[in-house]
Amino acid sequence: MKIFKFGGASVKDAESVKNVASILSLYKKEQLIVVVSAMGKMTNALEKVVHAYYNQDPELKTYIDEIRNFHFKIVDDLGFPENHPLRHELENCFVEIDWACEEPPSRGYGFSYDQIVSQGELMSTKIISAYLMNSDIANAWLDVRDVLQTDNTYREAKVNWELTEQLIKTRIPQLHASNNIIVTQGFIGGTSENFTTTLGREGSDYTAAIFSYCLDAKEMIVWKDVPGVLSADPRYSQDSVKLDQVSYHDAIELTYYGATVIHPKTIKPLENKHIPLRVCSFKSPKEKGTSVGNFQATKPLVPCFIYKPAQLLISISAKDFSFIAEASLHKIFGLFAELKIKINLMQNSAISFSVCVDNDPFKIPELLHELQKDFRVLYNEDLMLITVRHYYPSTIEQLIKGKKVLLEQRSRQTAQVVLKEIKS
Ligand code: ADP
Ligand code: ASP
Ligand code: MG
C-alpha cells in the first residue's frame, strides 16, 4: 500500500484537479490512500473568516462568499451538472461555517478556528473524490475524523496514536476491500467528543505519515510544485540543485531548521518503521524526485540553505546587570513555552541572552511586554535567519559578504547566521 499526499498547490484550480486524476490513473491497480489539503490558499482564506468572526468584522460574509465562489467555480469548470449531489454536499460545509459563525465565541479562538478552517480539507476532498468518480477512478471518501483521533489542543492537536492506529487498521482494509483508492483529508482530526481539531499549519504531510506508520506503508509520496528536495528554497535562491537522496537524519535536521518543503513532524514516524518517502513533482510525475530514507549520506552532498525571513532578535539582560543564570533562564523559557513561541536560535553570554524568533504579530508584543517586567529587553526586527547544513567555511564567507551580521553560530555540520534583511 502507498500513501500519497497532494498539497494546496496541486489542487488550486480545475486544471490541477484534472492533473491529480491523471497521476492517480497511473496507479489505479495499487491500493492507495490519497491525503489531500485544502485547495490553493483556502486555509488562509478560512483563517480570515475566523478572524473576522472573532472581531465582529462586517466583512465576514464577503470573506465567506469569496470561499464559496472559489469552490463553486472549480466545480463548474470541472463540468459538474447543476443537480450533482456534490453541490449539495459543499452547501452543507457552508452551513457548518455559518453555524460556527453564529455561535457566541465562548469556547475559545482555537476551537472556532478548527471547526471553521477544517472545512477547507472537507470541501477539497469531496470535490476530488467526485471528480475521480466521474473520471472512472473508483474511490472511497473517508472522513479522517473517524479514524485520526486527537486530544483537544485546538490548532496543535496531539495524536492519540494507540486509538488512531487501531481505528485505521480496522477501517482501511474494510474500505480497500471494495475500492483501491481512498481519498481523505490532511491536517484535521477528531476528538472523543466528536469535535474537529487541526494538527498545525502545513500538517497534511504529517497526516500522510500517520497513515503510513499505522499501515506499514510500502512508500509515501508527497506531490509538490518542485522537482524534489532542493539544496535551497527556489523562492530565495536561483542556483539550487536537486538532492537525489536524503538521509532521514538530514531530512529531520533540514525540516527542523525550517525547510518548508516537508512538515517537520513527518519524518520521525516514517523513520521508525523504515518507510521510504519520495518528494515528487506533480508537474512531471514520471521523474524520480527525491528519495528520503535509510541512507548513509545525502547525495549530492552539497551545502543546503534554509531561509527564515521576518525574524526578530531579542537580547535579554538583567535590569541590575547581574548575570543571566539558571533562575532567570527558567523564567524566560517558561514564558516562551507558555506563549508557544519557538526559539529558532539562541546564544548566552554572562550578562545577556539572545534569541531569534519568528516575528509573530500576535505573540511577540505579549512576549516583549512580559519580559520587560523583569528584564532589560532590546530587539532588532526585519532580520533573516539563514541556516546552512553541510557548509564549508567559504560558503559562509560568501553568504555574509557585504551584509550586516547580528549573530552567528556554528557546529560541525550546521552554521546559522542572522542578517539584516534586504528589502526588495
Ligand atoms: P504543499 O503544496 O504540499 O503544501 P508546500 O508549498 O508546503 O507544498 O511545499 C513546497 C514548497 O516548499 C516549494 O514551492 C518551495 O518554495 C518550498 N521549499 C522550501 N524549501 C525547499 C527545498 N529545500 N526544496 C524544495 N522546495 C522547498
Ligand atoms: N491546508 C493546511 C494548511 O494550509 C494544511 C496543509 O496544507 O498541509 O496549512
Ligand atoms: Mg503546504
Side-chain angles (χ1 to χ4, degrees), residues 5 7-8 37-38 40 43-44 113 117 121 186-187 200-205:
K5 183 261 169 164
S37 309
T43 303
N44 292 350
Y113 179 101
V117 170
E121 268 67 16
F187 177 55
R201 286 300 308 263
E202 303 294 327
S204 296
D205 291 347

Side-chain angles (χ1 to χ4, degrees), residues 55 79 150 218 226 231 253 263 282 307 341 356 360 388-389 405:
N55 293 295
T150 71
K218 201 165 117 198
V226 280
S231 59
E253 293 286 332
H263 188 277
F282 60 74
Y307 294 83
I341 297 175
C356 186
D360 183 308
V388 192
R389 191 151 166 83
V405 181

Side-chain angles (χ1 to χ4, degrees), residues 64-265:
I64 298 177
D65 282 344
E66 281 167 9
I67 296 170
R68 182 195 304 274
N69 295 343
F70 175 91
H71 286 97
F72 279 99
K73 174 158 190 328
I74 294 179
V75 171
D76 291 340
D77 292 348
L78 289 171
F80 284 95
E82 274 312 314
N83 57 355
H84 194 284
L86 169 66
R87 292 177 186 270
H88 181 67
E89 287 186 43
L90 295 182
E91 281 303 347
N92 281 344
C93 293
F94 286 100
V95 170
E96 296 275 344
I97 295 175
D98 288 342
W99 277 349
C101 290
E102 276 159 19
E103 261 185 45
S106 54
R107 301 191 68 142
Y109 190 87
F111 174 82
S112 306
Y113 179 101
D114 284 1
Q115 313 317 304
I116 294 171
V117 170
S118 54
Q119 296 300 326
E121 268 67 16
L122 291 163
M123 289 194 276
S124 77
T125 49
K126 283 180 187 204
I127 295 174
I128 283 147
S129 171
Y131 182 74
L132 293 177
M133 286 295 191
N134 280 2
S135 317
D136 282 331
I137 304 176
N139 69 92
W141 182 87
L142 168 69
D143 188 329
V144 81
R145 296 171 295 183
D146 292 345
V147 291
L148 204 160
Q149 290 290 301
T150 71
D151 69 0
N152 58 5
T153 317
Y154 296 106
R155 297 188 70 180
E156 270 312 324
K158 306 280 166 299
V159 176
N160 177 340
W161 280 94
E162 213 173 302
L163 181 57
T164 298
E165 182 166 11
Q166 189 192 322
L167 291 167
I168 286 182
K169 279 192 162 138
T170 315
R171 193 70 199 283
I172 297 300
Q174 290 166 353
L175 293 172
H176 266 155
S178 43
N179 283 292
N180 266 354
I181 298 183
I182 299 172
V183 175
T184 197
Q185 308 79 44
F187 177 55
I188 72 174
T191 67
S192 54
E193 296 165 286
N194 273 332
F195 289 119
T196 306
T197 52
T198 63
L199 306 175
R201 286 300 308 263
E202 303 294 327
S204 296
D205 291 347
Y206 182 41
T207 305
I210 295 166
F211 275 102
S212 302
Y213 178 92
C214 294
L215 293 163
D216 291 298
K218 201 165 117 198
E219 187 181 32
M220 170 171 150
I221 304 184
V222 288
W223 298 91
K224 301 271 171 174
D225 60 353
V226 280
V229 179
L230 307 172
S231 59
D233 186 336
R235 286 175 299 181
Y236 293 102
S237 164
Q238 263 102 53
D239 41 34
S240 56
V241 296
K242 192 195 81 162
L243 308 177
D244 295 324
Q245 64 175 53
V246 176
S247 66
Y248 286 127
H249 181 70
D250 264 346
I252 288 173
E253 293 286 332
L254 290 171
T255 55
Y256 170 78
Y257 286 117
T260 54
V261 63
I262 308 168
H263 188 277
K265 285 186 183 167

Side-chain angles (χ1 to χ4, degrees), residues 22 36 40 55 84 126 142 154-155 163 176 179 185 270 297 302 304 314 317 355 364 369 391 398 412 414:
S22 84
V36 189
N55 293 295
H84 194 284
K126 283 180 187 204
L142 168 69
Y154 296 106
R155 297 188 70 180
L163 181 57
H176 266 155
N179 283 292
Q185 308 79 44
L270 300 178
V302 291
C304 293
I314 312 173
S317 50
V355 282
I364 296 299
H369 177 74
Y391 69 95
Q398 252 194 318
R412 216 150 47 88
T414 308

